[in-house]
Amino acid sequence: FHHIHILYQYWLIKNWLKNKESSFMFQVHDSFVLDISPKDLNAIEDIKTILSKYNDMIFDVEIMSGKNYMECN
């Protein structure tokens, strides 16, 4: 189940990013690392909504930010 959920969320995020300046960088376990363009910052709540729902279930989503990956840890 967990792998299906992650693959589904990955697909949704990749589709959401199609017309954006932001990009999907990589996945670490159950985390997605995205490079969000300053033009897309207002859409972070959209990303959180996409990641928090699967079928009829709701998941907690934690968003971390930083100038680079090391600052997010």
Side-chain angles (χ1 to χ4, degrees):
F1 165 78
H2 182 68
H3 297 298
I4 292 170
H5 168 69
I6 290 174
L7 288 173
Y8 178 72
Q9 301 309 82
Y10 170 78
W11 178 80
L12 289 175
I13 290 295
K14 290 291 280 188
N15 281 330
W16 181 86
L17 290 169
K18 279 185 181 176
N19 298 316
K20 307 282 190 277
E21 291 187 23
S22 300
S23 59
F24 181 90
M25 301 303 290
F26 54 92
Q27 175 191 350
V28 178
H29 302 288
D30 61 351
S31 299
F32 294 146
V33 178
L34 306 172
D35 183 13
I36 302 296
S37 166
K39 292 182 179 180
D40 296 331
L41 283 177
N42 61 339
I44 289 179
E45 283 302 314
D46 293 343
I47 294 170
K48 189 172 181 176
T49 299
I50 290 168
L51 293 175
S52 68
K53 296 178 183 178
Y54 179 71
N55 290 338
D56 293 334
M57 297 175 278
I58 304 290
F59 296 91
D60 290 329
V61 174
E62 180 179 344
I63 295 179
M64 301 170 77
S65 65
K67 291 182 182 180
N68 58 50
Y69 181 65
M70 293 303 290
E71 285 187 11
C72 294
N73 288 324

